[in-house]
Amino acid sequence: MHDKKIKKAFIAAFPKTLPVLAGYAFLGMTYGIYLNVKGLPLWLPFIMTVIIFSGTAEIIGVDILAAAFDPLGAILLSVMIGARYIFYGISLLDKYKDLGWKKFFCIYGSVDETFSINFQSVVPPDVDKGWYYLFVSWLDHLYWISGSLFGAFCGSLIKFNTKGLEFVVTAMFIVIFLEQCLTEKKYYSELIGIVSATACLLIFGKDNFLIPTMLIILALLTLFKKPLGEMAEINEAYKLEVAAKAAKPKKKLLAHTASEGGDTK
């Protein structure tokens, strides 16, 4: 009976994590290659992905490890990057309160994608919520570890001159940013990031602008939390509208193909 309950929760959770698998396969490989290009050992991606489990912090951590020893700067930067998880935790208090031992990893694994799935999911009544949330967290974590290790392994096989290849991470974030702009109707969050980063770059210089930028972004997002939340709802509705419009031609094509098939019969 217990095994059936676990199996049913896994079957319900696994399809929800497939988009994360697709994203993490690419991001993890990028991270692994980037780490290898920086001259760090092959085993390091495994240690970092297990312990840190924050993609942005891990990518920035590569530069921190390759630079001069600055523990205070590393701590401050990590806190700024991970500050949004405070809001994730508050939002998930009710969902995770009765999970017993399972809630500890669910809390630890509440990164952006896992939070999105677990927060929005309506778990069927016949599925154990604790196991469902835990499987989503476990699977997402496994995807990230596997992608990073595979990327590091692929990077170790590169024999040509890799100078400049670290730009792959910059390119990745540019693509993610542009993709987000294309699927949103309002760009207030993006503007906050661009203006804050540009102002701090001009004021503090390229070596010291990152932490002030994160502090300003965190302060502005907290200050304008309510209007930005309303904008997020508008953007979410717009994404659904775009997805629905994109699905209509496919449905028409399938219907037309089916009718042609019926005519030939």
Side-chain angles (χ1 to χ4, degrees), residues 79-255:
V79 170
M80 292 303 103
I81 292 170
R84 66 185 184 279
Y85 297 128
I86 296 172
F87 303 105
Y88 291 178
I90 293 170
S91 302
L92 290 169
L93 281 174
D94 291 334
K95 284 181 175 283
Y96 288 173
K97 66 179 179 180
D98 297 320
L99 300 189
W101 62 269
K102 302 180 190 72
K103 72 179 179 182
F104 296 107
F105 188 84
C106 289
I107 292 169
Y108 171 70
S110 291
V111 293
D112 299 344
E113 293 79 8
T114 303
F115 166 78
S116 179
I117 294 171
N118 283 344
F119 183 72
Q120 296 180 9
S121 290
V122 179
V123 183
D126 59 335
V127 174
D128 183 271
K129 290 184 178 181
W131 282 109
Y132 176 89
Y133 296 140
L134 186 62
F135 275 128
V136 170
S137 304
W138 270 347
L139 287 168
D140 287 353
H141 199 178
L142 179 63
Y143 300 154
W144 179 248
I145 293 172
S146 303
S148 301
L149 286 175
F150 185 69
F153 176 73
C154 291
S156 67
L157 300 178
I158 296 174
K159 302 301 181 184
F160 56 84
N161 186 2
T162 58
K163 185 178 180 180
L165 193 61
E166 60 268 19
F167 185 73
V168 67
V169 174
T170 305
M172 177 190 71
F173 280 118
I174 290 172
V175 170
I176 292 171
F177 176 77
L178 291 175
E179 181 66 24
Q180 185 165 330
C181 290
L182 289 171
T183 56
E184 291 190 356
K185 202 169 185 178
K186 305 289 184 180
Y187 308 111
Y188 297 128
S189 298
E190 289 84 351
L191 288 172
I192 286 174
I194 291 172
V195 172
S196 300
T198 303
C200 289
L201 180 62
L202 293 173
I203 295 169
F204 299 102
K206 66 177 184 178
D207 295 326
N208 301 304
F209 83 101
L210 196 54
I211 291 178
T213 299
M214 297 300 296
L215 285 168
I216 292 172
I217 290 174
L218 179 61
L220 290 175
L221 291 178
T222 304
L223 183 63
F224 298 107
K225 182 182 178 183
K226 187 175 179 179
L228 287 173
E230 293 172 356
M231 290 303 103
E233 292 178 3
I234 293 172
N235 286 331
E236 192 63 33
Y238 180 69
K239 287 179 185 178
L240 294 173
E241 183 184 336
V242 171
K245 286 181 179 178
K248 282 182 180 179
K250 293 180 182 179
K251 289 181 180 178
K252 287 181 180 178
L253 179 61
L254 289 171

Side-chain angles (χ1 to χ4, degrees), residues 38-96:
K38 285 289 188 179
L40 297 171
L42 187 63
W43 51 265
L44 196 57
F46 176 75
I47 300 297
M48 292 180 72
T49 50
V50 170
I51 296 175
I52 301 175
F53 198 34
S54 170
T56 309
E58 288 176 42
I59 291 169
I60 293 175
V62 174
D63 289 321
I64 291 173
L65 289 172
F69 183 64
D70 182 15
L72 181 60
I75 291 170
L76 286 173
L77 191 57
S78 299
V79 170
M80 292 303 103
I81 292 170
R84 66 185 184 279
Y85 297 128
I86 296 172
F87 303 105
Y88 291 178
I90 293 170
S91 302
L92 290 169
L93 281 174
D94 291 334
K95 284 181 175 283
Y96 288 173

